[in-house]
Amino acid sequence: MTLNDLQQQIKTAIDNQSPSIARHLSKQLETEIDIVPDVFEGMVANQLYIELETVLLPEILRLSRKDTVQNTSDDK
């Protein structure tokens, strides 16, 4: 699986409002980014990491909070 595939799966999980899956995939993407050997791939990986940190992770956090609030409301 490529880094772009992982990124797309994270976006799909966010669209499907599945924060736990998105979190798992984001950790996997971070791990994959850390082991990129090639300089060019490293530049691409860096861009993906920036998007992960600035766009995707905040969205996952927002979904997680929404999910937690919804679960709390359901419990009442």
Side-chain angles (χ1 to χ4, degrees), residues 2-29:
T2 68
L3 297 177
N4 288 327
D5 291 339
L6 273 171
Q7 182 187 39
Q8 188 57 48
Q9 286 187 357
I10 293 168
K11 290 178 180 179
T12 300
I14 289 170
D15 290 344
N16 293 336
Q17 300 202 6
S18 303
S20 60
I21 293 171
R23 268 193 310 278
H24 171 76
L25 291 170
S26 69
K27 288 178 184 175
Q28 186 177 348
L29 180 59

Side-chain angles (χ1 to χ4, degrees), residues 48-67:
L48 292 174
Y49 186 76
I50 290 169
E51 183 174 354
L52 178 66
E53 287 290 315
T54 60
V55 178
L56 300 176
L57 288 177
E59 185 65 16
I60 293 168
L61 182 60
R62 185 189 67 75
L63 279 177
S64 295
R65 287 182 180 153
K66 180 180 173 184
D67 191 43

